[in-house]
Amino acid sequence: MTDTSRNRVKSRSKSQSTTASKAASPIAPATQQAPGHLAHQDCEPCDSLPAAFARQLRYDLNRNERRPQELYQALALSVKEQLLDDWCASRSQDALYQRKQVAYLSLEFLMGRSLGNALLNLDLTDECREMLQGYAVALETLQQQEHDAGLGNGGLGRLAACFMDSCASLGLAVTGYGIRYEYGMFAQQIVDGYQQEQPDRWLRDGNPWEVRASQHNVTVPFFGHVQSHVDRDGRRHRAWVDTQDVLAVAYDMPVPGYRNGRVNTLRLWKAEATDEFDLAEFNQGDYTEAVAAKNLAEQITMVLYPNDSSENGKELRLRQQYFLSSASLQDLLTTWVANKGLDFSEFAKFHVLQLNDTHPAIAVPELMRLLIDEYQLEWQAAWEIVSHCMAYTNHTLLPEALERWPVRMFAQMLPRILEIIYEINARYLELVAHHWPGDVSRLRQMSIIEEGDEPHIRMAYLAIVASFSVNGVAALHSRLLTTGLFRDFYELWPHKFNNRTNGVTPRRWLAHCNPRLAALISSRLGQDWLSDLRCLTALNAFTSDKPFIAAWREVKQANKQALAELVAQRCQVNFDPSMMFDVQVKRIHEYKRQLLNIMHVIHLYQRIVSGDTRGMQPRCVLIGGKAAPGYAMAKLVIKLANNVAHMVNEDPRVSPWLRFAFLPDYNVSAMEVICPGTDLSEQISTAGKEASGTGNMKFMMNGALTIGTLDGANIEMLEEVGEDNFFLFGLNALAVEELKAHYCPAQYIASSAALGGVMTLLKSGHFNLLEPGIFDPIIAAIESPQDPWMLAADFETYRLAQLQAAKAYQDPLRWTAMSIRNTAVSGRFSSDVTIAGYRDHIWGAQ
Ligand SMILES: *Cc1c(COP(=O)(O)O)cnc(C)c1O
């Protein structure tokens, strides 16, 4: 036996002892109490918020040199204390297994800040404000001290965060499982118009919300190889040996429901080296090797991959995926064993694993491995469990975003997992062969393994095969999945496929981020809308109520003032709140077509400079968002936006009519200022490419009007609000598909004076006088018959829709009525509605 394999045995026995001690953990419905356990009813009632805050400050060594950051830390710790009792009670209840529990597995949780949300949900905002008066500091000042938990790229990660809030608010037993990245989404700076990425050290001042819960530690194996052996009963076993084990340490963050006493957990795993690992190296005298090995282990959770809607196949990323999946599953299984013993026959009755895209799809073979290798279940029994627990959410139709991993990488890093995937595939292909007898090409097409010089594992197929539910995130997207990408699977298993249109939480995205509008709404409707956003339809009764309209406009003006201050501070551009605020913030991606927006800005600029301002509505255009560091075209679009902004803002002829800024470092906290202060929301993706969008919903909730294409959830928003209250333009998804074969941008450029003018100005180098040729790739993309985003095709209808929006804005009564109608129907896009759908149609959880 080698040193490393002994090391492996050691870690096994350790994880077993962890399991044993769990049986008596305080989570168990304790008949036997663990040492140190104090029954809840024996506790002193916890201190009130002011008492807890005073105590935090009293027992602070540095109380004589207190800055806002220290005050924030003390406040956050005091608020966390307020929810500890409910947090414990929620956990004790779950340990009874009286109802289904959901594990939401996601590589991303874009949580943003926690303080304001916690105060709101615990109904402590007013008390806190009052308390802080005694300390001569504003709540807002302290809130701004909190670093965003930016553990996600964009929509997918923010969806996970909104879902966490809704699950807790609906009282569901849902645990979020994710990774505690040391560095979250990079901070974006703009230097000479170019994006520069800065590391996001969000933990530099500590994280007062988290609790390190090392009693839940598990070890995750990597590398090694697989051996066969036969036990005393003649049963064959596969053993994964000589592995390099990494310790997964649990960090728990509380997720309080909205005023309902429920507190769920977001459990984030941090990778650390195991003691055994260090010791083995140390005994060989390689002290420095041991330390280096430690770094290797800890690298796994060091940084979030900054790619949105595109996979990049890096080995470390696969390690993150397996690390999260294995740690989370071991956690679920050890908790089950501690409370229910080794009988897994009811495991699937009490668990659902919701996979947020294919990123955690490796949980499928990992759960098989744990049940078979660690708990000695037979294949069929294990598969029954796995295939009744797993549910998969697809987030994209873009082929470049579909995850595929080289088989070679699995063979080396996860050899036992690869064996299991092969076995799953073999059994599944038998079913395919049975369904389509003799259809060999179908077998190749549907196989989990993509053959070729470099064979790959298709993670989406693995997820579909194992899941009892496969859902898309908006009606159009779910339909396109069944008719396109997953058509074969839909033929085989139609019952698996369903739609759950995304949503956003109205607590953060209306009540917390827009207190002025929230107060106005509550003054007429009361507070029920906070837990049932459909109540907002009652606002439709106020669309011609003069005092209400005036109040609505005042709120919008104040929010625009706040947004203007953000823009002034970050972009040194002066936005005038009397002008229309036209905003597009989201990840920079070709399919989202920020370029189309910039082209329209160039068109307006040309009109103004040529003196054609008759009937023009003055507007301030804001674009913000991050580009993946390796995405050259997206980065060039940022550069173009900044160069155009420079020309627009420096020209005194233009500034009465048009101002244009690129907002650096778009994140959750920025969006909390942006969406309340926006008049016009840009949702202009190429139809059929944006799965759902959720930014669109945040703007709608806050009374912005949308200019948009028939894509993603825009379609459902339009359905709710009607064409009179939405600026629709562009090709639909079918037309985009049909045009592909004979798309001719030159034709559109020749037939539109506006588009022709924009192209001429771009090509003249007007926006890059000192940087010749830098925008050539952008010009070439627009003029290419292969342009998948079809900018030229949609430009003219976009321009006309913009004219309509401008005209509507010039009639304030009409615009405000439209704005109220948008908020009024936004209730359908509350993530509470979405989660109720998951609960009733997928999870079967109450
Ligand atoms: C809501 C949100 C997104 C998603 O925006 P889309 O317009 O749907 O792409 C991305 N990033 C942040 C910070 C968000 O708050």
Side-chain angles (χ1 to χ4, degrees):
M1 196 186 264
T2 66
D3 270 297
T4 29
S5 72
R6 215 177 304 133
N7 163 27
R8 172 70 189 143
V9 171
K10 253 189 214 162
S11 56
R12 278 277 161 82
S13 64
K14 187 186 167 193
S15 77
Q16 245 136 46
S17 71
T18 316
T19 307
S21 73
K22 276 237 180 89
S25 84
I27 295 177
T31 41
Q32 273 181 310
Q33 286 186 351
H37 179 91
L38 190 62
H40 176 64
Q41 57 270 30
D42 299 339
C43 290
E44 294 290 328
C46 84
D47 285 340
S48 67
L49 180 63
F53 186 58
R55 173 164 40 71
Q56 290 289 348
L57 295 175
R58 167 73 182 79
Y59 293 102
D60 174 10
L61 177 63
N62 297 311
R63 61 191 182 202
N64 294 327
E65 36 197 326
R66 216 170 264 141
R67 299 166 307 171
Q69 174 62 220
E70 283 74 40
L71 286 171
Y72 157 70
Q73 294 276 339
L75 178 57
L77 290 169
S78 318
V79 173
K80 186 172 69 180
E81 271 184 37
Q82 304 302 301
L83 42 76
L84 272 178
D85 283 342
D86 284 342
W87 200 0
C88 287
S90 297
R91 286 190 176 192
S92 308
Q93 194 189 45
D94 294 350
L96 300 175
Y97 289 99
Q98 288 166 335
R99 58 177 179 159
K100 198 155 255 175
Q101 310 194 357
V102 179
Y104 195 83
L105 264 59
S106 180
L107 269 284
E108 302 188 14
F109 285 91
L110 189 47
M111 302 299 283
R113 291 173 176 152
S114 290
L115 178 58
N117 186 246
L119 288 172
L120 172 70
N121 284 13
L122 299 175
D123 198 9
L124 288 171
T125 311
D126 292 341
E127 185 178 354
C128 184
R129 234 178 251 292
E130 197 176 310
M131 170 185 93
L132 290 176
Q133 278 175 3
Y135 295 84
V137 62
L139 175 56
E140 284 67 25
T141 308
L142 300 194
Q143 280 177 338
Q144 279 159 19
Q145 294 301 311
E146 182 170 359
H147 304 294
D148 268 43
L151 309 183
N153 275 284
L156 174 149
R158 183 54 230 177
L159 184 77
C162 283
F163 279 7
M164 291 306 292
D165 183 71
S166 284
C167 288
S169 295
L170 291 173
L172 303 179
V174 176
T175 303
Y177 281 104
I179 289 182
R180 183 180 175 276
Y181 301 106
E182 210 74 34
Y183 296 89
M185 188 59 209
F186 66 80
Q188 179 193 54
Q189 288 184 353
I190 301 299
V191 178
D192 296 332
Y194 289 102
Q195 165 173 301
Q196 265 189 14
E197 300 95 24
Q198 300 290 332
D200 165 45
R201 290 184 49 216
W202 71 291
L203 292 167
R204 65 184 174 274
D205 294 306
N207 176 5
W209 299 104
E210 70 186 11
V211 179
R212 183 176 159 110
S214 38
Q215 63 274 37
H216 298 284
N217 289 3
V218 294
T219 59
V220 178
F222 289 96
F223 304 105
H225 57 269
V226 184
Q227 286 177 344
S228 249
H229 69 90
V230 178
D231 70 14
R232 277 174 304 186
D233 306 325
R235 191 170 173 268
R236 289 179 57 79
H237 295 271
R238 301 289 285 164
W240 186 4
V241 297
D242 290 355
T243 53
Q244 293 176 31
D245 294 354
V246 176
L247 192 65
V249 182
Y251 282 76
D252 290 350
M253 306 250 286
V255 182
Y258 180 71
R259 300 180 191 179
N260 65 355
R262 178 77 199 179
V263 181
N264 282 336
T265 298
L266 173 60
R267 178 158 290 173
L268 301 177
W269 299 105
K270 175 179 192 282
E272 294 187 2
T274 59
D275 291 345
E276 290 83 359
F277 200 97
D278 286 351
L279 197 63
E281 300 280 350
F282 186 70
N283 287 342
Q284 292 166 22
D286 289 331
Y287 171 72
T288 46
E289 292 279 300
V291 175
K294 211 175 158 70
N295 280 332
L296 225 74
E298 301 192 345
Q299 261 179 31
I300 295 177
T301 54
M302 197 56 72
V303 62
L304 167 77
Y305 276 90
N307 304 300
D308 186 69
S309 304
S310 73
E311 58 106 13
N312 69 351
K314 288 283 189 319
E315 181 180 316
L316 184 59
R317 168 75 173 177
L318 179 60
R319 279 216 250 180
Q320 290 183 338
Q321 297 185 347
Y322 183 64
F323 177 77
L324 165 67
S325 303
S326 179
S328 309
L329 289 169
Q330 290 187 57
D331 193 44
L332 294 174
L333 289 175
T334 51
T335 307
W336 174 266
V337 170
N339 291 287
K340 308 277 280 187
L342 287 162
D343 179 0
F344 291 95
S345 56
E346 290 204 308
F347 186 83
K349 185 174 153 194
F350 290 106
H351 289 93
V352 178
L353 289 130
Q354 189 71 43
L355 308 176
N356 198 21
D357 215 316
T358 56
H359 312 155
I362 199 168
V364 168
E366 174 62 3
L367 184 52
M368 290 298 287
R369 181 187 77 84
L370 291 168
L371 291 172
I372 293 170
D373 294 1
E374 306 283 322
Y375 293 103
Q376 278 74 51
L377 267 66
E378 298 295 337
W379 180 279
Q380 200 48 46
W383 185 251
E384 278 299 308
I385 292 170
V386 171
S387 57
H388 285 90
C389 283
M390 297 288 172
Y392 158 51
T393 304
N394 172 281
H395 284 271
T396 176
L397 294 157
L398 300 180
E400 66 267 30
L402 289 179
E403 288 195 298
R404 306 168 327 134
W405 289 106
V407 165
R408 165 184 52 82
M409 221 181 254
F410 268 73
Q412 197 208 2
M413 188 198 305
L414 305 166
R416 178 63 181 134
I417 296 299
L418 180 60
E419 278 189 354
I420 292 171
I421 292 173
Y422 278 145
E423 180 74 24
I424 292 172
N425 196 39
R427 291 172 185 245
Y428 145 70
L429 287 180
E430 261 181 53
L431 190 89
V432 176
H434 187 76
H435 200 267
W436 287 281
D439 192 344
V440 181
S441 76
R442 178 98 51 171
L443 286 177
R444 192 172 329 110
Q445 202 175 300
M446 293 180 74
S447 173
I448 293 170
I449 310 295
E450 179 184 284
E451 297 299 343
D453 291 345
E454 169 87 82
H456 281 81
I457 300 173
R458 296 159 162 159
M459 300 305 280
Y461 292 8
L462 178 62
I464 296 171
V465 168
S467 295
F468 67 87
S469 163
V470 178
N471 76 282
V473 290
L476 171 69
H477 171 234
S478 297
R479 189 157 49 75
L480 292 176
L481 284 179
T482 58
T483 56
L485 205 54
F486 299 152
R487 188 191 176 136
D488 292 333
F489 294 90
Y490 180 63
E491 278 186 45
L492 190 57
W493 294 308
H495 56 277
K496 290 191 182 189
F497 288 82
N498 65 101
N499 173 247
R500 306 265 70 90
T501 299
N502 282 167
V504 301
T505 170
R507 269 75 62 186
R508 181 176 298 263
W509 295 116
L510 183 48
H512 167 67
C513 75
N514 198 345
R516 295 182 188 95
L517 195 64
L520 176 59
I521 292 169
S522 296
S523 75
R524 299 298 202 280
L525 306 186
Q527 300 247 320
D528 292 351
W529 60 271
L530 276 144
S531 41
D532 178 7
L533 203 65
R534 301 268 198 177
C535 295
L536 292 184
T537 52
L539 289 174
N540 277 322
F542 296 91
T543 50
S544 43
D545 176 324
K546 290 278 162 62
F548 187 77
I549 287 178
W552 192 272
R553 283 171 51 79
E554 258 175 57
V555 165
K556 184 57 85 179
Q557 283 308 115
N559 291 335
K560 286 171 75 172
Q561 185 60 47
L563 175 51
E565 281 159 24
L566 182 78
V567 170
Q569 177 211 328
R570 294 229 190 139
C571 319
Q572 290 77 51
V573 176
N574 186 14
F575 271 18
D576 177 350
S578 73
M579 296 162 79
M580 179 170 84
F581 281 15
D582 169 354
V583 177
Q584 184 178 26
V585 287
K586 49 182 74 244
R587 287 301 291 257
I588 310 293
H589 204 296
E590 286 162 285
Y591 84 80
K592 291 176 183 279
R593 298 202 294 195
Q594 282 89 1
L595 186 51
L596 185 60
N597 190 350
I598 298 169
M599 288 161 69
H600 178 249
V601 171
I602 294 174
H603 162 68
L604 291 179
Y605 168 79
Q606 269 186 315
R607 272 187 64 189
I608 297 161
V609 170
S610 70
D612 172 22
T613 54
R614 261 172 306 110
M616 185 181 272
Q617 167 58 43
R619 69 168 93 196
C620 300
V621 180
L622 185 67
I623 295 182
K626 294 171 185 175
Y631 190 168
M633 193 55 118
K635 292 181 121 173
L636 196 55
V637 167
I638 292 176
K639 171 65 174 166
L640 178 62
N642 281 295
N643 281 23
V644 172
H646 185 77
M647 295 300 284
V648 166
N649 299 328
E650 291 305 291
D651 192 331
R653 294 170 297 178
V654 177
S655 59
W657 299 103
L658 179 64
R659 304 184 190 173
F660 182 30
F662 184 89
L663 184 89
D665 204 32
Y666 172 58
N667 63 5
V668 171
S669 291
M671 187 53 159
E672 289 172 9
V673 182
I674 294 166
C675 64
T678 294
D679 294 310
L680 185 63
S681 155
E682 300 268 352
Q683 308 298 336
I684 60 178
S685 54
T686 310
K689 305 300 177 188
E690 182 76 89
S692 163
T694 49
N696 46 3
M697 301 166 184
K698 298 167 200 165
F699 284 112
M700 184 189 222
M701 242 173 231
N702 286 277
L705 274 63
T706 302
I707 181 164
T709 48
L710 283 171
D711 202 13
N714 290 356
I715 296 172
E716 289 152 85
M717 288 166 52
L718 173 63
E719 230 168 69
E720 293 293 326
V721 80
E723 292 215 22
D724 293 346
N725 302 292
F726 190 107
F727 304 103
L728 179 66
F729 74 96
L731 301 173
N732 65 24
L734 185 65
V736 166
E737 270 317 294
E738 286 174 353
L739 185 56
K740 235 167 145 180
H742 50 95
Y743 178 51
C744 180
Q747 207 179 303
Y748 296 97
I749 295 168
S751 65
S752 158
L755 178 54
V758 169
M759 293 310 293
T760 305
L761 195 59
L762 257 178
K763 287 168 137 177
S764 77
H766 183 73
F767 300 105
N768 50 316
L769 291 172
L770 302 176
E771 302 156 297
I774 59 168
F775 297 128
D776 288 356
I778 286 179
I779 294 162
I782 299 169
E783 293 184 335
S784 165
Q786 268 72 52
D787 174 20
W789 322 116
M790 299 190 172
L791 286 144
D794 278 348
F795 182 85
E796 193 56 23
T797 56
Y798 179 52
R799 185 183 68 82
L800 293 174
Q802 288 284 17
L803 278 177
Q804 293 302 312
K807 191 170 153 219
Y809 192 81
Q810 288 172 344
D811 180 349
L813 282 184
R814 177 178 163 214
W815 183 275
T816 308
M818 291 166 83
S819 165
I820 295 169
R821 283 187 205 113
N822 268 271
T823 301
V825 299
S826 66
R828 170 158 164 211
F829 305 103
S830 163
S831 46
D832 296 350
V833 174
T834 311
I835 288 299
Y838 277 84
R839 177 194 64 198
D840 297 341
H841 301 289
I842 300 178
W843 301 339
Q846 187 35 260

Coordinates of all heavy atoms in Angstrom, one line a residue, residues 18-34 37-40 88-97 101 215-216 334-341:
T18 N -17.5 11.0 11.5 CA -18.3 12.2 11.4 C -19.8 11.8 11.3 O -20.6 12.4 12.0 CB -17.9 13.0 10.1 OG1 -16.5 13.1 10.0 CG2 -18.5 14.4 10.2
T19 N -20.0 10.8 10.5 CA -21.4 10.3 10.3 C -21.9 9.8 11.7 O -23.0 10.2 12.1 CB -21.4 9.1 9.4 OG1 -20.7 9.5 8.2 CG2 -22.8 8.6 9.1
A20 N -21.1 9.1 12.4 CA -21.5 8.5 13.7 C -21.9 9.7 14.7 O -22.9 9.7 15.3 CB -20.5 7.6 14.3
S21 N -21.0 10.7 14.7 CA -21.3 11.8 15.7 C -22.5 12.6 15.3 O -23.2 13.1 16.2 CB -20.1 12.7 15.8 OG -20.0 13.5 14.6
K22 N -22.9 12.6 14.0 CA -24.1 13.3 13.6 C -25.3 12.8 14.2 O -26.3 13.5 14.4 CB -24.2 13.2 12.1 CG -23.4 14.2 11.4 CD -24.2 15.1 10.5 CE -23.4 16.1 9.7 NZ -22.9 15.6 8.5
A23 N -25.3 11.4 14.5 CA -26.5 10.8 15.1 C -27.0 11.5 16.3 O -28.1 11.6 16.7 CB -26.3 9.3 15.3
A24 N -26.0 12.1 17.0 CA -26.3 12.8 18.3 C -26.2 14.3 18.1 O -26.2 15.0 19.1 CB -25.4 12.3 19.4
S25 N -26.2 14.8 16.9 CA -26.0 16.2 16.7 C -27.3 17.0 17.2 O -28.4 16.4 17.2 CB -25.7 16.5 15.3 OG -26.9 16.6 14.5
P26 N -27.1 18.2 17.5 CA -28.3 19.0 17.9 C -29.4 19.1 16.9 O -30.5 19.5 17.2 CB -27.7 20.4 18.2 CG -26.2 20.2 18.2 CD -25.9 19.0 17.4
I27 N -29.0 18.7 15.6 CA -30.1 18.8 14.6 C -31.1 17.7 14.8 O -32.2 17.8 14.5 CB -29.4 18.7 13.2 CG1 -28.5 19.9 12.9 CG2 -30.4 18.5 12.1 CD1 -27.8 19.8 11.6
A28 N -30.6 16.6 15.3 CA -31.5 15.4 15.4 C -32.6 15.7 16.4 O -32.4 16.5 17.3 CB -30.6 14.2 16.0
P29 N -33.7 15.1 16.2 CA -34.8 15.3 17.2 C -34.4 14.6 18.5 O -34.8 13.5 18.8 CB -36.0 14.5 16.5 CG -35.4 13.5 15.6 CD -34.0 14.1 15.2
A30 N -33.6 15.3 19.3 CA -32.8 14.7 20.3 C -33.6 14.1 21.4 O -34.3 14.8 22.2 CB -31.9 15.7 20.9
T31 N -33.5 12.8 21.5 CA -34.0 12.1 22.7 C -32.7 12.1 23.6 O -32.8 12.4 24.8 CB -34.5 10.7 22.5 OG1 -33.7 10.1 21.5 CG2 -35.9 10.8 21.9
Q32 N -31.6 11.7 23.0 CA -30.3 11.8 23.6 C -29.7 13.1 23.3 O -29.6 13.4 22.1 CB -29.4 10.7 23.0 CG -29.4 9.4 23.6 CD -28.4 8.5 22.9 OE1 -28.4 8.5 21.6 NE2 -27.5 7.9 23.6
Q33 N -29.3 13.9 24.2 CA -28.8 15.2 23.9 C -27.3 15.2 23.8 O -26.6 14.5 24.7 CB -29.3 16.2 24.9 CG -30.7 16.5 24.6 CD -31.3 17.7 25.4 OE1 -30.6 18.1 26.3 NE2 -32.4 18.1 25.1
A34 N -26.8 15.9 22.8 CA -25.3 16.0 22.7 C -24.8 16.9 23.8 O -25.5 17.7 24.3 CB -25.0 16.5 21.3
H37 N -25.6 20.8 24.4 CA -26.9 21.1 23.9 C -27.8 21.7 25.0 O -27.8 21.3 26.1 CB -27.6 19.8 23.4 CG -29.0 20.1 22.8 ND1 -29.2 20.4 21.5 CD2 -30.2 20.1 23.4 CE1 -30.5 20.6 21.3 NE2 -31.1 20.4 22.5
L38 N -28.4 22.8 24.5 CA -29.4 23.4 25.5 C -30.7 23.5 24.8 O -30.8 24.1 23.7 CB -28.8 24.9 25.7 CG -29.5 25.6 26.8 CD1 -29.3 25.0 28.2 CD2 -28.9 27.1 26.9
A39 N -31.7 22.9 25.4 CA -33.0 22.9 24.7 C -33.4 24.4 24.5 O -33.2 25.2 25.4 CB -34.0 22.2 25.6
H40 N -34.1 24.6 23.4 CA -34.5 25.9 23.1 C -35.3 26.6 24.2 O -35.0 27.8 24.5 CB -35.4 25.8 21.8 CG -36.0 27.2 21.4 ND1 -35.2 28.2 21.0 CD2 -37.2 27.6 21.4 CE1 -35.9 29.2 20.7 NE2 -37.2 28.9 20.9
C88 N -32.5 28.0 14.0 CA -32.4 26.7 14.6 C -33.7 26.0 14.6 O -33.7 24.8 14.3 CB -32.0 26.9 16.1 SG -30.3 27.4 16.3
A89 N -34.8 26.7 14.8 CA -36.1 26.0 14.8 C -36.4 25.5 13.4 O -37.0 24.3 13.3 CB -37.2 27.0 15.3
S90 N -36.1 26.2 12.4 CA -36.4 25.7 11.0 C -35.6 24.5 10.8 O -36.1 23.5 10.2 CB -36.0 26.8 10.0 OG -36.8 28.0 10.2
R91 N -34.4 24.4 11.2 CA -33.5 23.2 11.0 C -34.1 22.0 11.8 O -34.1 20.9 11.3 CB -32.1 23.5 11.5 CG -31.4 24.4 10.5 CD -29.9 24.4 10.8 NE -29.2 25.2 9.8 CZ -27.9 25.2 9.7 NH1 -27.1 24.6 10.5 NH2 -27.4 26.0 8.8
S92 N -34.5 22.2 13.0 CA -35.0 21.1 13.8 C -36.2 20.5 13.2 O -36.4 19.3 13.1 CB -35.4 21.6 15.2 OG -34.3 22.3 15.8
Q93 N -37.0 21.4 12.6 CA -38.3 21.0 12.0 C -37.9 20.1 10.7 O -38.5 19.0 10.5 CB -39.0 22.2 11.5 CG -40.4 21.9 11.1 CD -41.1 23.1 10.5 OE1 -40.5 23.8 9.6 NE2 -42.3 23.4 10.9
D94 N -36.9 20.5 10.0 CA -36.5 19.8 8.8 C -36.0 18.4 9.1 O -36.1 17.4 8.4 CB -35.5 20.5 7.9 CG -36.1 21.8 7.4 OD1 -37.3 22.0 7.4 OD2 -35.3 22.6 6.8
A95 N -35.3 18.3 10.3 CA -34.7 17.0 10.6 C -35.7 16.0 10.9 O -35.4 14.8 11.0 CB -33.8 17.2 11.9
L96 N -37.0 16.4 11.1 CA -38.0 15.4 11.3 C -38.5 14.7 10.0 O -39.2 13.7 10.1 CB -39.3 16.1 12.0 CG -39.0 16.8 13.3 CD1 -40.2 17.5 13.8 CD2 -38.6 15.7 14.4
Y97 N -38.1 15.2 8.9 CA -38.5 14.7 7.6 C -40.0 14.4 7.5 O -40.4 13.3 7.2 CB -37.7 13.4 7.3 CG -36.3 13.6 7.0 CD1 -35.3 13.4 8.0 CD2 -35.8 14.0 5.8 CE1 -34.0 13.6 7.8 CE2 -34.5 14.2 5.5 CZ -33.6 14.0 6.5 OH -32.2 14.2 6.2
Q101 N -37.9 17.9 1.1 CA -36.8 19.0 1.2 C -36.2 19.1 -0.2 O -36.0 18.2 -0.9 CB -35.7 18.5 2.1 CG -36.3 18.1 3.5 CD -35.2 18.0 4.5 OE1 -34.0 18.2 4.2 NE2 -35.5 17.6 5.7
Q215 N -18.7 21.1 11.7 CA -19.3 19.8 12.1 C -19.9 19.1 10.8 O -20.2 18.0 10.8 CB -20.3 19.9 13.2 CG -21.6 20.8 12.9 CD -21.3 22.2 13.2 OE1 -20.3 22.8 13.0 NE2 -22.4 22.9 13.7
H216 N -20.1 19.9 9.8 CA -20.6 19.3 8.5 C -19.5 19.0 7.5 O -19.9 18.8 6.3 CB -21.7 20.3 7.9 CG -22.8 20.5 8.9 ND1 -23.8 19.6 9.0 CD2 -23.2 21.5 9.7 CE1 -24.7 20.0 9.9 NE2 -24.3 21.2 10.3
T334 N -25.5 12.0 4.8 CA -25.1 11.8 6.2 C -26.2 12.3 7.1 O -26.5 11.7 8.2 CB -23.8 12.5 6.6 OG1 -23.8 13.8 6.1 CG2 -22.6 11.8 5.9
T335 N -26.9 13.4 6.7 CA -28.0 13.9 7.6 C -29.1 12.9 7.6 O -29.8 12.6 8.6 CB -28.5 15.3 7.0 OG1 -27.4 16.1 6.9 CG2 -29.5 15.9 7.9
W336 N -29.4 12.3 6.4 CA -30.4 11.3 6.3 C -30.1 10.1 7.2 O -30.9 9.6 8.0 CB -30.6 10.8 4.8 CG -31.5 9.7 4.6 CD1 -31.2 8.4 4.6 CD2 -32.9 9.7 4.5 NE1 -32.3 7.6 4.4 CE2 -33.4 8.4 4.3 CE3 -33.9 10.8 4.5 CZ2 -34.8 8.1 4.2 CZ3 -35.2 10.5 4.3 CH2 -35.6 9.2 4.2
V337 N -28.9 9.6 7.1 CA -28.5 8.4 7.8 C -28.5 8.7 9.3 O -29.0 7.9 10.1 CB -27.1 7.9 7.4 CG1 -26.5 6.9 8.4 CG2 -27.1 7.4 6.0
A338 N -28.1 9.9 9.7 CA -28.2 10.3 11.1 C -29.6 10.3 11.7 O -29.8 9.9 12.8 CB -27.5 11.7 11.3
N339 N -30.5 10.6 10.9 CA -31.9 10.7 11.4 C -32.8 9.5 11.0 O -33.7 9.2 11.8 CB -32.6 12.0 10.8 CG -32.0 13.3 11.3 OD1 -32.2 13.6 12.5 ND2 -31.2 13.9 10.6
K340 N -32.5 8.9 9.9 CA -33.4 7.8 9.5 C -32.7 6.5 9.3 O -33.3 5.5 9.0 CB -34.0 8.2 8.1 CG -34.7 9.6 8.1 CD -36.1 9.6 8.6 CE -37.0 9.1 7.5 NZ -38.4 9.2 8.0
G341 N -31.4 6.4 9.5 CA -30.7 5.2 9.4 C -30.3 4.8 8.0 O -30.4 5.7 7.1

